[in-house]
Amino acid sequence: MHKSLSSSESKCCRVCVSLGIRSYSIIIGPNAMEEAVIADHIFGHRLMVVTNEIVERLYFETVVQNFKDFQVDKIVLPDGENIKTLEGLNVILSALLKGRHDRTTTLVALGGGVIGDVAGFAAAVYQRGINFLQVPTTLLAQVDSAVGGKTGVNHALGKNMIGASHQPSIVISDTMTLKTLPKREFAAGLSEVIKYGLIADKCFFDWIEDNLDGLLSHDSNLLTYAIRVSCQIKASIVSQDETEQGHRAILNFGHTFGHAIETFLQYRDWVHGEAISVGMLMAMRLSVLLGGISETDFERLKVMLKRCGLPTSPPRLMTVQDFNLNMMRDKKVMGGQLRLVILETFGLATVTAEYGASNLQKVLTINCVAQ
Ligand code: NAD
Ligand code: GLY
């Protein structure tokens, strides 16, 4: 049950991602950086902080205070999804080489999911892998992208198509950083929080519904709690299926539709969580057609997403054909067959190829205004 909160939520809490000798902690809460014993997670004496121009201005000086005993270099990338490319990766690798960094350097990914993904990928491939820390500063990164070790970049022909699995040695999620997050980015992060309720914990969904106003006004206790539960759900799934041989794919609920939107828009105009908002509604509609979800629950989700200020229908110019084309480039396509994540029931997701092609086309037709 998710009930009212005690004042202890205003302090930091810890969630463990259990992966044998590669297990690590996620520290969550206000001033989490001070709680984390960072030195325990750095093996050499050199650090490379990878961040972007916005986050650098806001948080670099504060973060560096915690690295006083180390030699710190930094790479400041431009803002935006468009640096999550092989070119962006090359900028990081070149800076590491020019600075003569060796395998004992620890890389620190300071920023949202874009920085976390591209910097994590650089850590995975630089000299066949170096240590890295995730210091996520968006809600989306704190509840999702910084946890679980998926790193990578986009290709013009598909989202997240090039990457590696590389776990951080710690994730430090300072909830105070969310205070400066633009409203739109905060809402985008909430879409992933809502996802956890849908795929794994109906009571958590009920709790979000009851506490949404508080979450939207950045209540610190509620936020820490929502991030903690989200991370617990993700950590549990990742611990069972780190390399996504099966079950982990449920974390991609709505993402096949969402990634198709992002690819169609060439990673411009919409942010990731907005595309996922629409994608989840489309996956929910498919689940209604398959009989696992009621019309009432579909409407509950729609109302919740609207309350967050998230979009509930695809870009106006996107056609059924655009979806079909871009969805077939999803990583869940196997042997030419697209698999999708659906809800068997509220709070229980599964990945399946047995959704019926006509049901999928019905979902696309209902949702696309353009033909
Ligand atoms: P983002 O990294 O682009 O950050 C969003 C915006 O907020 C940016 O403009 C950024 O500069 C700014 N920002 C970051 N922190 C801030 C702060 N504290 N205050 C003010 N502004 C701040 O976007 P995102 O939503 O964090 O991440 C999206 C990316 O994450 C996508 O590329 C997506 O594919 C990826 N992702 C990866 C995984 C994974 O498992 N690896 C999971 C989900 C999403
Ligand atoms: N965001 C999906 C995953 O980590 O598997």
Side-chain angles (χ1 to χ4, degrees):
M1 285 298 281
H2 302 273
K3 288 222 160 177
S4 57
L5 302 178
S6 73
S7 58
S8 65
E9 291 296 337
S10 60
K11 299 200 184 82
C12 283
C13 55
R14 187 180 289 257
V15 172
C16 179
V17 184
S18 301
L19 291 167
I21 54 162
R22 286 173 300 106
S23 297
Y24 57 93
S25 295
I26 310 164
I27 316 289
I28 307 157
N31 305 314
M33 199 70 173
E34 285 153 31
E35 292 279 322
V37 186
I38 289 171
D40 289 356
H41 304 278
I42 301 173
F43 312 120
H45 68 281
R46 295 190 73 185
L47 297 180
M48 177 62 96
V49 178
V50 182
T51 187
N52 76 16
E53 54 204 0
I54 291 182
V55 180
E56 193 258 355
R57 223 170 28 243
L58 291 166
Y59 299 112
F60 180 75
E61 285 308 323
T62 318
V63 165
V64 109
Q65 296 300 314
N66 297 279
F67 298 140
K68 281 204 178 100
D69 299 334
F70 303 92
Q71 182 191 326
V72 182
D73 290 339
K74 69 175 169 184
I75 301 167
V76 184
L77 296 169
D79 184 33
E81 182 82 28
N82 283 327
I83 60 102
K84 208 180 111 172
T85 55
L86 286 174
E87 289 74 28
L89 172 73
N90 195 36
V91 171
I92 302 172
L93 298 178
S94 300
L96 286 165
L97 285 166
K98 278 185 194 144
R100 296 186 185 283
H101 284 269
D102 63 27
R103 301 199 69 214
T104 63
T105 284
T106 289
L107 196 146
V108 180
L110 171 68
V114 166
I115 289 294
D117 280 9
V118 67
F121 189 29
V125 297
Y126 186 66
Q127 300 194 6
R128 298 200 187 88
I130 58 171
N131 182 41
F132 91 113
L133 322 181
Q134 285 274 17
V135 186
T137 60
T138 64
L139 180 57
L140 186 135
Q142 294 187 358
V143 297
D144 193 354
S145 61
V147 176
K150 278 191 182 177
T151 72
V153 295
N154 303 323
H155 188 279
L157 293 181
K159 174 92 178 153
N160 294 336
M161 280 294 155
I162 304 158
S165 180
H166 189 54
Q167 300 291 346
S169 52
I170 190 168
V171 180
I172 304 164
S173 294
D174 189 331
T175 51
M176 298 295 273
T177 60
L178 304 181
K179 283 190 193 298
T180 53
L181 201 59
K183 211 172 155 189
R184 190 173 165 197
E185 298 293 350
F186 186 79
L190 280 176
S191 74
E192 299 279 8
V193 175
I194 292 166
K195 174 190 79 181
Y196 291 113
L198 293 169
I199 63 168
D201 187 345
K202 181 175 182 300
C203 291
F204 184 45
F205 185 92
D206 298 342
W207 180 90
I208 301 167
E209 199 169 50
D210 292 344
N211 292 281
L212 193 56
D213 290 339
L215 287 168
L216 286 167
S217 60
H218 288 232
D219 178 293
S220 176
N221 290 357
L222 296 177
L223 261 181
T224 301
Y225 184 75
I227 297 166
R228 171 156 73 85
V229 175
S230 300
C231 287
Q232 280 167 339
I233 293 172
K234 180 152 186 182
S236 153
I237 294 169
V238 169
S239 299
Q240 293 165 53
D241 181 20
E242 182 185 6
T243 54
E244 199 168 308
Q245 301 306 305
H247 190 55
R248 181 168 176 167
I250 67 165
L251 288 168
N252 273 319
F253 180 70
H255 284 50
T256 304
F257 298 100
H259 287 167
I261 293 173
E262 289 184 278
T263 308
F264 171 77
L265 293 173
Q266 297 179 320
Y267 315 113
R268 288 197 282 263
D269 301 332
W270 284 32
V271 300
H272 175 73
E274 292 173 336
I276 297 314
S277 167
V278 174
M280 288 196 301
L281 265 180
M282 294 174 82
M284 194 77 165
R285 171 56 66 203
L286 184 59
S287 308
V288 172
L289 292 176
L290 292 169
I293 289 294
S294 68
E295 194 62 40
T296 312
D297 284 334
F298 175 87
E299 283 304 321
R300 274 179 82 193
L301 174 62
K302 192 169 181 176
V303 168
M304 188 185 275
L305 296 171
K306 280 192 168 158
R307 280 175 72 195
C308 294
L310 288 161
T312 52
S313 48
R316 286 191 68 79
L317 293 179
M318 196 165 174
T319 63
V320 169
Q321 206 187 353
D322 292 324
F323 268 105
N324 281 326
L325 187 72
N326 288 311
M327 286 171 72
M328 282 312 286
R329 293 188 176 128
D330 191 89
K331 288 194 291 304
K332 284 185 292 305
V333 172
M334 272 189 186
Q337 171 71 59
L338 176 64
R339 296 172 310 134
L340 288 168
V341 185
I342 52 144
L343 298 189
E344 279 183 33
T345 177
F346 208 118
L348 183 67
T350 188
V351 57
T352 180
E354 308 295 314
Y355 45 79
S358 62
N359 285 325
L360 174 58
Q361 294 314 307
K362 204 182 261 178
V363 171
L364 300 181
T365 312
I366 296 169
N367 277 278
C368 292
V369 180
Q371 296 301 322

